[in-house]
Amino acid sequence: MRIVRQPIDAQAPPPIVATDELAALADAALRQQADAMRTLIVTVAPAILRAVRSVLGTRHPDVEDVAQEAALGFARALPEFRRECNLIHFACRIGVLGALAARRRLRARAEDRVDDGFALDLVQDGSASPIDAAIEARRRAALRDLCDDLPDGQREALVMHVVLGMTVEETAAACRVPANTVRSRLRLAKEALRARIQADVRLRDAL
Amino acid sequence: MTTPSLCPDHLLARARTSALADGERGALEAHLEQCGACRAALRTGQAFDRVLGPQPGDDQLATRLWCEVERQVVRRQSRRARTIAAVAAAAVIALLSVTSVAMLRARLGRPSGSVVPAPASAAARGGVPGARAEPPRSPSEPARAVPSQLSDHLPPPEAPAMAPAASESPAPGRASRPSPSKPARVRAAGGDAPPGVRPTDDGEGAGALFSAANVTRRRGETARATEQYRRLVKEYPSSPEALVAHVALGRLLLARAGAGAGALAEFDAYLVAAPTGALAEEALFGRATCLMRLGRDREEGATWRQLVERFPRSVYAERARVRLGELSP
């Protein structure tokens, strides 16, 4: 049996402290101050959009609708927000879960254009050479495909950590699970990602 | 073989958002040499970083998200709060009434501690023993006379607790209208909606139809959504929902091959009804795109110029300038 140890680096970041510059705004929103809620929604909207686009694709036609559902979910869940993470990460998680559910629905309806961001990502990405851009687009597609096959906890951790760049501690706080649980899920998910990329001839060399 | 439990996940995250110290960078690179999983994760994450930045139109999209939240969450909470306030006020009034009856009885000479009689109707219905046992009421003291005598003890009709509800609650036929503030969609379509565009008595039906059309559109049933938006425009032409529906219709039609002229008509309808509305920017963009597809270069150029002049900082401005450059001889 493998013993999961802590990272070797003793300078790992401390657990998330529940200090959030949006907390006062959330309090005002909970007191039904519409202006505060408006500011809050507009502030977290980029995070929600980023989360949704990461799962569906940057130009997927359902991005707006899924983001809208996520924003509504965020507003409705606000009274139950326990401040174990910051509000941006809370919104991110709602966006990720909503997008993953939408992706599942789309695939169930056999709408295989879930990754139609592929070509458009390629066009949008002007910083890399066309070959590099194509490889990166394929990497993104590989991860999105992988999300369809992973268990819920693993794919959630994979998107929040690998795609959105949240730390293990931030992911753990947002998902309300221990950090070691996230590490364990990430270990499995990253290994699956490596295997998925290695199985792709065009990505294997770039790995 | 990787040793995942030792993976420096915090360095992987920080490597994408901030500069690592030399020691950290060396440690991370040494780890990446050995760990294919972390290498794959880091490179895939960097591939996402390149495309997940803000997109043109995100500001407007955020505003639309807020409009929907306001419509579906904030207003409902507000209505619920008003209902609770009204119920609380009614309870207070009922309590005061009971108290006043007791005080009145005391003033009329009843012994203290006597039971307040049940209403005559209750006594008649249930045959409450206590009611039968009470002393006979004199003819000059009918039960119906009590409320008028209680008026001195009751709060005024517009008690402070009721004032906000009374001032904010709409007429019965418009329970969901956001009066007195402008409806969210009027704000979304332009807080300065033209005089002809105002909430009407049929706004409730318009709102329901608009919501249904939105739900249909989200399901991907674009043909049915188009039909519902058209019905909304036809049946409730003066509602704010119909105004927004023009832009929604335009966007749906724009995505359909061969429907450029129809989309153009919708965008034009919005721009005529709300030339300074908040969706004017999107309507202008949609109009220019339609004209481009229809090959009407001169009108297209004029629309792009109008967009740039009116909204120089628009997310569409760069696209407009590029297209104007292409159109210039």
Side-chain angles (χ1 to χ4, degrees):
Chain A
M1 179 178 170
R2 183 193 296 271
I3 297 175
V4 178
R5 287 173 284 169
Q6 293 293 324
I8 49 176
D9 194 330
Q11 295 179 348
I16 297 297
V17 180
T19 55
D20 190 348
E21 60 267 24
L22 296 179
L25 206 53
D27 289 338
L30 287 172
R31 289 195 297 272
Q32 300 188 2
Q33 294 181 11
D35 288 345
M37 181 62 99
R38 179 192 177 113
T39 306
L40 190 59
I41 293 295
V42 171
T43 303
V44 302
I48 290 177
L49 285 170
R50 190 164 181 265
V52 171
R53 285 175 178 144
S54 70
V55 174
L56 293 185
T58 53
R59 301 295 177 91
H60 193 283
D62 284 352
V63 163
E64 177 168 349
D65 290 339
V66 175
Q68 197 166 80
E69 291 300 323
L72 288 169
F74 172 82
R76 287 175 181 138
L78 202 55
E80 279 80 41
F81 177 53
R82 296 185 182 182
R83 300 173 193 250
E84 292 164 333
C85 62
N86 71 39
L87 276 161
I88 293 290
H89 294 154
F90 182 61
C92 270
R93 183 176 184 235
I94 291 175
V96 167
L97 293 179
L100 286 171
R103 187 179 168 91
R104 191 183 302 136
R105 283 199 305 271
L106 289 168
R107 291 186 72 84
R109 297 201 319 236
E111 293 183 13
D112 287 329
R113 290 177 55 79
V114 174
D115 283 326
D116 65 353
F118 182 88
L120 289 161
D121 283 356
L122 190 62
V123 172
Q124 181 191 0
D125 188 355
S127 59
S129 72
I131 293 176
D132 290 343
I135 290 174
E136 290 191 345
R138 191 164 287 280
R139 280 184 189 282
R140 292 190 289 270
L143 185 138
R144 288 175 184 139
D145 283 343
L146 179 63
C147 283
D148 298 329
D149 301 331
L150 288 178
D152 287 348
Q154 287 182 37
R155 61 182 186 168
E156 186 182 355
L158 186 70
V159 172
M160 294 175 80
H161 178 71
V162 172
V163 177
L164 299 180
M166 291 167 61
T167 66
V168 168
E169 287 74 16
E170 288 168 343
T171 305
C175 298
R176 292 162 60 184
V177 296
N180 277 337
T181 301
V182 173
R183 287 193 184 93
S184 176
R185 290 172 179 173
L186 276 177
R187 173 176 61 81
L188 297 169
K190 287 195 299 187
E191 192 58 38
L193 177 64
R194 184 193 62 77
R196 183 66 62 107
I197 287 177
Q198 280 204 327
D200 187 325
V201 178
R202 283 162 292 193
L203 292 178
R204 189 190 307 154
D205 294 340
L207 182 64
Chain B
M1 178 69 186
T2 58
T3 53
S5 62
L6 303 180
C7 292
D9 291 315
H10 60 291
L11 292 183
L12 286 173
R14 284 177 51 207
R16 292 165 54 191
T17 56
S18 60
L20 296 176
D22 289 343
E24 292 175 329
R25 186 186 307 279
L28 179 60
E29 287 175 357
H31 177 78
L32 291 178
E33 284 293 320
Q34 300 174 351
C35 181
C38 283
R39 209 159 55 238
L42 179 60
R43 290 181 182 170
T44 305
Q46 287 168 335
F48 274 98
D49 287 343
R50 288 189 197 279
V51 297
L52 285 183
Q55 304 279 323
D58 274 3
D59 289 344
Q60 287 81 3
L61 184 47
T63 304
R64 290 199 293 276
L65 295 185
W66 156 245
C67 288
E68 198 64 17
V69 168
E70 184 192 33
R71 195 175 67 82
Q72 293 200 29
V73 179
V74 175
R75 283 194 216 159
R76 284 183 187 177
Q77 287 176 346
S78 177
R79 279 201 296 272
R80 194 179 306 137
R82 284 201 298 268
T83 304
I84 291 170
V87 169
V92 168
I93 290 171
L95 186 63
L96 284 173
S97 301
V98 171
T99 308
S100 299
V101 168
M103 290 171 63
L104 190 61
R105 296 286 182 208
R107 193 183 300 170
L108 293 175
R110 287 185 179 283
S112 63
S114 64
V115 177
V116 177
S121 59
R125 272 199 316 268
V128 180
R132 290 176 185 271
E134 80 175 283
R137 186 180 290 130
S138 70
S140 63
E141 191 192 348
R144 288 178 187 170
V146 172
S148 63
Q149 296 174 33
L150 289 178
S151 58
D152 293 342
H153 305 285
L154 293 176
E158 301 233 351
M162 290 290 285
S167 63
E168 289 178 17
S169 61
R174 325 177 169 180
S176 67
R177 293 243 62 88
S179 171
S181 62
K182 290 179 180 178
R185 269 191 220 92
V186 172
R187 281 200 290 273
D192 47 356
V197 178
R198 57 183 174 75
T200 59
D201 287 341
D202 53 23
E204 186 67 22
L209 193 51
F210 187 72
S211 297
N214 287 340
V215 169
T216 308
R217 177 176 54 82
R218 283 181 207 138
R219 284 188 194 139
E221 301 171 29
T222 54
R224 189 158 163 254
T226 303
E227 183 189 331
Q228 287 174 314
Y229 283 127
R230 279 188 171 141
R231 195 179 134 214
L232 167 62
V233 169
K234 184 179 176 185
E235 294 183 6
Y236 307 103
S238 62
S239 67
E241 287 84 357
L243 186 60
V244 181
H246 283 302
V247 178
L249 259 177
R251 292 172 66 182
L252 282 176
L253 294 174
L254 195 56
R256 189 188 296 177
L264 179 63
E266 298 300 336
F267 290 125
D268 281 348
Y270 178 87
L271 289 168
V272 167
T276 57
L279 292 181
E281 191 179 335
E282 294 198 338
L284 282 172
F285 177 79
R287 182 174 199 274
T289 308
C290 290
L291 291 168
M292 181 179 69
R293 291 192 186 170
L294 295 170
R296 291 155 62 175
D297 292 352
R298 204 169 60 180
E299 292 168 87
E300 182 199 347
T303 307
W304 286 126
R305 270 191 292 278
Q306 192 182 353
L307 175 60
V308 172
E309 285 166 9
R310 286 183 56 188
F311 306 103
R313 298 178 64 187
S314 164
V315 291
Y316 304 118
E318 186 57 34
R319 168 70 179 148
R321 292 188 186 100
V322 169
R323 187 62 189 150
L324 282 171
E326 292 171 355
L327 289 172
S328 63

